[in-house]
Amino acid sequence: MGANIRKKHKIGIKLIGLALFLSGILLLIDVRVRPIIEKTAVYQSKVLATRIINDAVYSELENESVNYGDLVTIVYNSDNSISSIESNMVNINRIKSRITKSVNDELCCLDEHDLSISLGTVSGFEIFYNQGPLIPIKVQPEGYVEAILISSFESAGINQTLHRIIIEIKTEISAIIPGYTSSATVETQFVMAETVIVGTVPSTYTHVITGSEDLISQINDYGAG
């Protein structure tokens, strides 16, 4: 009887040791694999979200046929120097609103796209890349798209300045796979309109390119200070 008890006791200790050993192996695998899974899932999700944003913005810009003169009016003095650069806030806010809505509508369908990572890819071994069973990735937007208007000035030659009106789209997404959830920020910029300004540009002036709807959230003092 005593021998049987000791035998069962030894078997129990071995099983516990085996369970601890397997748990340790699984923990090491998780520590090694988790960063690869998260990095790969986030990368694929950002590529998908960027492509969707690009398609939505370019589609809106093509439909709008945006011209520089529709957004900005340059007022010259009699000596050909620029006295002011005036923004057409009605047109700017209308286009910005349409682009934001279009991008939001498209990103709401992110989870309908099929993304996956092969088990061989997350193993970290190059010879197994794109091999083995697939791990599905679900991509979801977090909140709404943020659209920011930027006024960019660059030298374009002697007494010439390239002026661009740029819209920056920023949003947060979540990449979800079984057991993992990672968040990422997607940022991309698009040139809405541009022109080369010929003439003397003042070294200091204020150009407001956001309107009351945004509580004038961005005012740029070019050359100030």
Side-chain angles (χ1 to χ4, degrees), residues 156-176:
I158 299 175
N159 210 28
Q160 295 181 345
T161 304
L162 176 63
H163 182 206
R164 287 192 176 107
I165 301 297
I166 299 169
I167 185 167
E168 180 180 86
I169 303 296
K170 181 186 296 186
T171 188
E172 299 287 329
I173 59 170
S174 288
I176 305 169

Side-chain angles (χ1 to χ4, degrees), residues 45-55 186-188 190:
S45 301
K46 290 179 72 172
V47 169
L48 173 62
T50 300
R51 177 170 60 80
I52 290 174
I53 291 172
N54 287 348
D55 290 345
V186 179
E187 294 183 33
T188 185
F190 305 87

Side-chain angles (χ1 to χ4, degrees), residues 22 32 36 54 59 69 80 86 89 92 113 122 132 166 172 178 182 186-187 196 217:
L22 292 176
R32 173 182 173 80
I36 299 175
N54 287 348
S59 177
N80 203 37
E86 301 173 356
M89 295 315 306
I92 287 178
H113 294 262
V122 301
I166 299 169
E172 299 287 329
S182 299
V186 179
E187 294 183 33
V196 174
S217 59

Side-chain angles (χ1 to χ4, degrees), residues 63-211:
N63 291 337
E64 287 284 345
S65 298
V66 181
N67 295 314
Y68 182 86
D70 298 329
L71 306 180
V72 177
T73 299
I74 302 174
V75 180
Y76 291 89
N77 291 321
S78 58
D79 60 355
N80 203 37
S81 62
I82 298 173
S83 62
S84 66
I85 299 177
E86 301 173 356
S87 301
N88 186 328
M89 295 315 306
V90 174
N91 284 344
I92 287 178
N93 285 328
R94 176 176 54 81
I95 295 170
K96 177 182 174 183
S97 177
R98 287 177 61 91
I99 289 176
T100 303
K101 181 180 184 303
S102 179
V103 172
N104 270 319
D105 290 345
E106 293 298 325
L107 289 180
C108 285
C109 303
L110 271 175
D111 56 359
E112 297 178 4
H113 294 262
D114 293 327
L115 287 181
S116 60
I117 310 172
S118 69
L119 195 58
T121 298
V122 301
S123 69
F125 297 102
E126 188 174 348
I127 59 173
F128 297 130
Y129 186 77
N130 277 341
Q131 303 296 320
L134 298 178
I135 304 172
I137 305 174
K138 186 176 183 180
V139 187
Q140 292 182 337
E142 293 184 358
Y144 289 96
V145 169
E146 181 182 4
I148 302 171
L149 290 174
I150 301 170
S151 190
S152 170
F153 291 84
E154 298 178 10
S155 174
I158 299 175
N159 210 28
Q160 295 181 345
T161 304
L162 176 63
H163 182 206
R164 287 192 176 107
I165 301 297
I166 299 169
I167 185 167
E168 180 180 86
I169 303 296
K170 181 186 296 186
T171 188
E172 299 287 329
I173 59 170
S174 288
I176 305 169
I177 60 177
Y180 303 90
T181 299
S182 299
S183 297
T185 301
V186 179
E187 294 183 33
T188 185
Q189 293 185 347
F190 305 87
V191 177
M192 295 175 63
E194 65 180 8
T195 194
V196 174
I197 302 173
V198 179
T200 303
V201 178
S203 59
T204 302
Y205 60 91
T206 299
H207 178 202
V208 180
I209 69 166
T210 54

